[in-house]
Amino acid sequence: MIKPQGIIAAMSTPFFTDETLNEAELRHQVDRLIGAGLHGIFALGTNGENYAMDFAEKVKVMEIVIDQAAKRVPIYIGTGCVTTKETVALTKKACELGADCASVVSPWFAANTQDGLYEHYKAVAECSNLPVLIYNMPARTGVNVHYKTMQKLAQIDNIVGVKDSSGNFDNMQRYLESCGDRVSVLSGNDSLILPCLLAGGHGGISGISNVLPERMVRIYTAWEEGNLEEAWKVQRSIRPLRDCMAAGNPNSVVKRAAYFVGQNLGPVRAPFDIRDEQFDASIKAALAVIESND
């Protein structure tokens, strides 16, 4: 059973200007991220714009990513959908295609209960033998996976971890205290990767890896080597770009920032794309500060 750990890229999905999939660029990004030393790739997550794709498009993306990675690193596929039925179907497809793990975000839009979350995740875990990583993102889903719910879920054999994107460090600590010996706990917030590791966690799933992959890997490498001064220096160095996230959809920040470092990820699907001179200027300024402090 896979043990999620290290720095895993929350990979963006490249599109052409007409919003169709750019397969050649998707394959290039898989090679780029693996070449940068990342410990895994998470496709079809929030940065991958899974919320803006239909079932067939998601299957196409997972086919390409799994094929291109060719078992060089573990591939995590975002299979979370609004309903249990569709999540189960997509998870089974990911298993069939050879994914290493399904990352399942909580159902969104409609209000849910902790019992509802437990039954949803239990059904997804039991639909195949694919390892499952719980994806907690209350700002987008409207519900936080309570640590007691996570404690129960951790008893299911193929639930192997939780990605906590709550941005609440105490929430992450609760996961670590209640079930960190049974499952991996990873930060879904780039700013909390090192704190997660220092608290006993296992790494992070990083959107900024689309922009600065080698830098994000350095956080983990320095921590692993016991060089906490360097680890903190690198962790803190990304703050200027993290601050840009408040300007709008973080996916747009990531794709525009990637563009300014030479990557052709294309637009975010409408209506979430941001193209604005002031927006671009703030991202360029952030990248300049990061480079100057290296």
Side-chain angles (χ1 to χ4, degrees):
M1 195 66 68
I2 190 173
K3 182 178 179 62
Q5 61 186 2
I7 307 299
I8 299 161
M11 188 173 68
S12 296
T13 303
F15 297 123
F16 291 112
T17 54
D18 65 356
E19 299 187 359
T20 56
L21 180 65
N22 185 340
E23 179 175 342
E25 187 61 31
L26 180 57
R27 290 184 180 277
H28 167 69
Q29 290 301 320
V30 171
D31 289 340
R32 171 183 173 242
L33 296 173
I34 293 174
L38 286 150
H39 304 95
I41 290 175
F42 171 25
L44 295 174
T46 305
N47 270 283
E49 299 177 63
N50 64 341
Y51 56 84
M53 296 185 202
D54 63 29
F55 195 96
E57 287 178 311
K58 293 175 185 178
V59 171
K60 181 66 174 176
V61 169
M62 68 172 80
E63 284 175 338
I64 293 166
V65 172
I66 291 167
D67 176 67
Q68 190 66 27
K71 299 295 182 183
R72 288 177 287 170
V73 297
I75 299 299
Y76 301 75
I77 298 292
T79 62
C81 301
V82 174
T83 65
T84 303
K85 180 180 180 180
E86 189 172 11
T87 304
V88 163
L90 198 59
T91 301
K92 286 181 175 179
K93 193 65 180 178
C95 183
E96 175 190 323
L97 292 172
D100 296 286
C101 187
S103 177
V104 184
V105 72
S106 302
W108 59 94
F109 190 80
N112 209 339
T113 65
Q114 293 301 310
D115 286 343
L117 285 176
Y118 176 78
E119 292 301 329
H120 172 77
Y121 281 120
K122 182 173 181 287
V124 174
E126 291 177 349
C127 80
S128 76
N129 61 3
L130 190 63
V132 172
L133 178 75
I134 306 299
Y135 180 1
N136 183 48
M137 197 177 197
R140 305 290 182 90
T141 65
V143 61
N144 186 64
V145 180
H146 195 274
Y147 75 91
K148 290 185 178 179
T149 304
M150 191 60 225
Q151 192 172 30
K152 285 173 61 182
L153 289 168
Q155 303 309 309
I156 299 172
D157 286 345
N158 61 324
I159 291 183
V160 295
V162 57
K163 173 191 177 185
D164 184 30
S165 294
S166 68
N168 182 337
F169 187 59
D170 188 60
N171 192 72
M172 188 185 299
Q173 287 182 302
R174 287 285 202 173
Y175 288 157
L176 287 163
E177 291 164 5
S178 61
C179 54
D181 59 340
R182 168 66 182 85
V183 299
S184 295
V185 178
L186 301 106
S187 174
N189 183 315
D190 288 83
S191 297
L192 293 177
I193 291 173
L194 183 56
C196 176
L197 289 166
L198 292 173
H202 303 83
I205 298 181
S206 163
I208 290 180
S209 290
N210 292 284
V211 186
L212 305 166
E214 292 87 356
R215 183 177 297 266
M216 299 312 297
V217 170
R218 277 168 53 198
I219 296 172
Y220 190 84
T221 303
W223 166 79
E224 200 172 32
E225 294 171 348
N227 188 347
L228 294 187
E229 182 179 355
E230 172 67 8
W232 274 118
K233 178 184 175 184
V234 182
Q235 175 67 84
R236 289 169 175 150
S237 76
I238 66 169
R239 185 171 298 282
L241 191 54
R242 286 287 304 169
D243 286 345
C244 291
M245 300 298 179
N249 182 3
N251 296 3
S252 282
V253 176
V254 167
K255 280 195 167 181
R256 292 304 286 165
Y259 174 76
F260 294 131
V261 298
Q263 302 303 315
N264 180 29
L265 302 182
V268 172
R269 281 186 166 173
F272 306 107
D273 197 38
I274 303 173
R275 295 299 172 97
D276 174 85
E277 288 185 9
Q278 186 175 352
F279 178 72
D280 282 356
S282 67
I283 294 171
K284 288 179 182 178
L287 290 171
V289 170
I290 292 171
E291 186 176 355
S292 67
N293 290 331
D294 200 5

